[in-house]
Amino acid sequence: MIYKIIDRAAWSQAKQIGHFQGAAIDLKDGYIHFSTAEQVQETAAKHFANQHDLLLVAVDDLRLGETLKWERSRGNSLFPHLYSDLPLDAVVWEKELPWCDDEQQHQFPELE
C-alpha cells in the first residue's frame, strides 16, 4: 500500500473525470509523488504543514504496473513515483486528514 496526500477539491475533480492527474508539484516533476506508511507522516509535516481540508488516499501499488517506479529521494530513501495518471480503481480507501493545531501535525488513521 502507498499513500497520497491530496486536497479535497483536487480529489473531487479526479473523481469527476475518473482519474487523478496529479497536484501542481506532480505535474511539474512529471510524476505523481507517493509515500509509504513509514514516510507519509514526514511528508505531511514537510509539505502540508498547517494545511486543512486534506485527504489521505491509500493505493494498492500492485495495481499500478510498470508505471510505478521506486526512486531515491529524501534521506536517500526509496519513494514510489507514478509516471502516469492514477486510475481510481487502484484506490483502496480515502480518509480525512485533519490538522490538529494543539499538536501542530495532522492526525493519521492507522496505516498498513
Side-chain angles (χ1 to χ4, degrees), residues 53-102:
D53 213 20
L54 297 175
L55 299 172
L56 182 64
V57 177
V59 175
D60 181 350
D61 56 314
L62 298 178
R63 295 186 196 174
L64 300 177
E66 295 178 6
T67 59
L68 183 69
K69 309 290 183 197
W70 291 83
E71 299 174 319
R72 298 220 176 265
S73 189
R74 183 175 68 229
N76 206 29
S77 295
L78 289 174
F79 279 77
H81 297 151
L82 183 62
Y83 286 86
S84 70
D85 291 349
L86 172 63
L88 297 187
D89 65 357
V91 174
V92 177
W93 53 256
E94 60 186 74
K95 296 183 180 179
E96 303 236 356
L97 191 61
W99 175 255
C100 180
D101 288 324
D102 293 342

Side-chain angles (χ1 to χ4, degrees), residues 4-11 13-14 19-34 47-48 51 54 82 84-86:
K4 179 69 178 169
I5 299 170
I6 182 170
D7 78 32
R8 186 180 309 279
W11 190 242
Q13 180 182 15
H19 60 273
F20 177 62
Q21 296 173 314
I25 188 68
D26 302 322
L27 297 172
K28 177 182 162 286
D29 289 346
Y31 55 85
I32 299 176
H33 295 261
F34 287 91
H47 298 289
F48 296 92
Q51 291 187 36
L54 297 175
L82 183 62
S84 70
D85 291 349
L86 172 63

